[in-house]
Amino acid sequence: MKMKTEKLTVFAPATIANLSCGFDVLGLALDGIGDILHLELTPEPGVSITRVTGADIPLETDRNVAGIAGMAFLEAATGYSGGVRIEIEKRIAPGSGIGSSAASSAGTVWGLNQLLGEPFGLPDLVGFAMKGEALASGAAHADNVAPALYGGITLVRSSHPLDIARVHCPEALHACILHPQIELKTSDARKVLRTSIPLSKGIRQWGNVGGLVTGLFTEDFGLISRSLEDCIIEPVRSLLIPGFDTLREAALAAGALGFGISGSGPSVYALTHGADTAEAVSRALGKAYDAIDIPYTLHHGPVNRRGIYSINPNT
Amino acid sequence: MKMKTEKLTVFAPATIANLSCGFDVLGLALDGIGDILHLELTPEPGVSITRVTGADIPLETDRNVAGIAGMAFLEAATGYSGGVRIEIEKRIAPGSGIGSSAASSAGTVWGLNQLLGEPFGLPDLVGFAMKGEALASGAAHADNVAPALYGGITLVRSSHPLDIARVHCPEALHACILHPQIELKTSDARKVLRTSIPLSKGIRQWGNVGGLVTGLFTEDFGLISRSLEDCIIEPVRSLLIPGFDTLREAALAAGALGFGISGSGPSVYALTHGADTAEAVSRALGKAYDAIDIPYTLHHGPVNRRGIYSINPNT
């Protein structure tokens, strides 16, 4: 296996899974917010996580999503007998609902792939990163790792077998995130879901998924806006997020195309047409949450269109 | 209101509703198979159906889908005080599952709109034609009338309020229909459906809807093929169609992208990449059904891309 370099630093973006109607299938990558991973090949086999800053996360390989994803990669990379040393700057708060574990898992396998001369394609990398996701959320989902790796907007048509497609992402599409500083674990957020749904709501949901995908391909922002609706998961899960309805009202009043829960929460997201509206919506979300006695962080920016990338490829 | 002409003959295409995963939301118009309607404006108000050939259908306005759709149009066309006389050549067998009632409803309102100088847009015409559909199937669905009027492939994101979008249709897409000559009413076919579904199957279905729409826009026939799956309705409804599994095997073995129930059946459909495969699939379907003691008709051809059209606009 050809080694391009022995060290690499990568930026792995935060992601919004679901996009309201597309529960468990749609996802979008964010620009300007993500984890930074420093990787260095080692002669010793295995994954060694030497340092994590920004979050209180175990360094043990088998208790760290990056460790598990990295091990899955190395086991498949039969031409390479060495290992990797990783330092992680967690800039995405764990448990925030914007793909914190996915960014570290995906960043690790993407970085390793670069260091070893790209032996694997993106679908393979998604598969390795999903092993990390299984540790984080109790299920091997691809709806955060797929957009992190592919960039833009992705559709996971099927997880088993894995079938991922890129959905066109209009350049004007921007995203806002408000992260209320409360704890809400993915595994807990899944527990509140009912295991069966009315057929009529299912029809409404897949009509919206079809509408959202059509709107994205045709850059019809009206259709995108009308399709950003979740009649199944959100009515239950939003009860776990203080101030959800107030935030929605504020986002829509400020011109958001749509508003909903990012992944399994507690972060909420809004999509907008253009940067100015994103800024206005972000301000409106902050103002609405100032009235509620919960600390929060805000982010807004364009969609990340290239996925994970190397920050200093030549060092 | 400007009258372009007083007489018009229109071709109104047969349609495939659902397209497997897109139950109640997706639809496709067929080329080369449809009803022929002769319309003539009359000074007397109302809709008078003077003749129906090819099927045993009531002539009374309020018991005929074309009559009801035509009345809905005339009630809304406030600038016109006359009526219309209609002769219908039914070339789509009623109850066949390829939008027989929708073709007559949609053809009537489209023809009236032409005769009166196009006072209404396509969404309005869909609304009028849906009134006819309510008589035929017990519910005002747009999943046949929308593709009949728009042509190509349509998505009905929502029926109430009506929200219709065009989905890109690759030129190479062809369709096959086998109509087993058994009676299966839409209202009966709806009765076998369960009113609730497992969430896991819902996710699979909207993943497939997203995949099918993405595959159509990107002309990715592999993705189209993988997405043409219905894990919710077909397993129940296909039991009402003798030989369904045999037909599926034959279609897929002959190279079909996918196979399923057209609308609520009993017709089944296959989609193919190209005309040659459509012919081969059609032959294979016929051969498979020859072994079953039920008469059938076969059709194959490209997708109708222009919707309803006038056959002799100047007479």
Side-chain angles (χ1 to χ4, degrees), chain A residues 21-25 155-158 163-167 190 193-215 217-218 223 226-227 229 232-233, chain B residues 21-25 155-158 163-167 190 193-215 217-218 223 226-227 229 232-233:
Chain A
C21 54
F23 180 68
D24 268 5
V25 306
L155 173 87
V156 181
R157 191 195 66 80
S158 155
D163 191 2
I164 296 166
R166 288 178 202 268
V167 178
R190 289 196 86 86
L193 302 183
R194 295 187 183 93
T195 55
S196 81
I197 59 172
L199 174 60
S200 58
K201 288 194 178 176
I203 295 166
R204 195 161 144 192
Q205 196 90 337
W206 62 70
N208 280 324
V209 168
L212 179 53
V213 173
T214 300
F217 274 103
T218 57
L223 180 55
R226 296 192 298 280
S227 304
E229 178 197 52
I232 294 173
I233 314 300
Chain B
C21 55
F23 180 68
D24 268 7
V25 305
L155 173 87
V156 182
R157 191 194 66 80
S158 154
D163 190 4
I164 296 166
R166 287 179 203 268
V167 177
R190 290 194 86 87
L193 302 181
R194 296 186 182 93
T195 54
S196 81
I197 60 172
L199 174 60
S200 58
K201 289 194 178 178
I203 294 167
R204 194 161 145 192
Q205 196 90 337
W206 61 69
N208 280 323
V209 168
L212 180 54
V213 172
T214 300
F217 273 104
T218 57
L223 180 56
R226 297 191 298 279
S227 305
E229 179 198 49
I232 294 173
I233 313 300

Side-chain angles (χ1 to χ4, degrees), chain A residues 41-61:
Chain A
L41 296 181
T42 59
E44 310 81 49
V47 178
S48 144
I49 297 160
T50 51
R51 195 165 173 233
V52 176
T53 57
D56 184 23
I57 279 179
L59 295 180
E60 296 93 318
T61 305

Side-chain angles (χ1 to χ4, degrees), chain B residues 270-283:
Chain B
L271 294 185
T272 70
H273 185 179
D276 292 348
T277 312
E279 204 179 316
V281 169
S282 188
R283 244 194 330 265

Side-chain angles (χ1 to χ4, degrees), chain B residues 30-57:
Chain B
L30 294 165
D31 216 15
I33 180 167
D35 287 348
I36 308 288
L37 291 96
H38 308 274
L39 295 96
E40 187 172 3
L41 296 180
T42 59
E44 311 81 48
V47 177
S48 144
I49 297 160
T50 52
R51 197 166 171 232
V52 176
T53 58
D56 184 22
I57 279 179

Side-chain angles (χ1 to χ4, degrees), chain A residues 128-184:
Chain A
F128 303 141
M130 283 170 74
K131 302 272 172 78
E133 285 293 81
L135 175 73
S137 73
H141 283 287
D143 47 355
N144 287 104
V145 293
L149 281 159
Y150 283 72
I153 298 173
T154 54
L155 173 87
V156 181
R157 191 195 66 80
S158 155
S159 297
H160 308 284
L162 198 57
D163 191 2
I164 296 166
R166 288 178 202 268
V167 178
H168 176 74
C169 177
E171 280 204 31
L173 203 65
H174 280 60
C176 308
I177 295 285
L178 182 139
H179 173 210
Q181 311 281 305
I182 58 169
E183 194 171 353
L184 180 62

Side-chain angles (χ1 to χ4, degrees), chain A residues 10-15 33-37 65-66 69 88-92 98-111 129 133 144-146 148-149 308:
Chain A
V10 303
F11 171 85
T15 44
I33 178 167
D35 287 349
I36 308 288
L37 291 97
V65 296
I88 305 172
E89 294 178 38
K90 284 304 294 177
R91 300 196 178 181
I92 310 171
I98 51 171
S100 177
S101 61
S104 290
S105 302
T108 296
V109 299
W110 189 90
E133 285 293 81
N144 287 104
V145 293
L149 281 159
I308 298 166

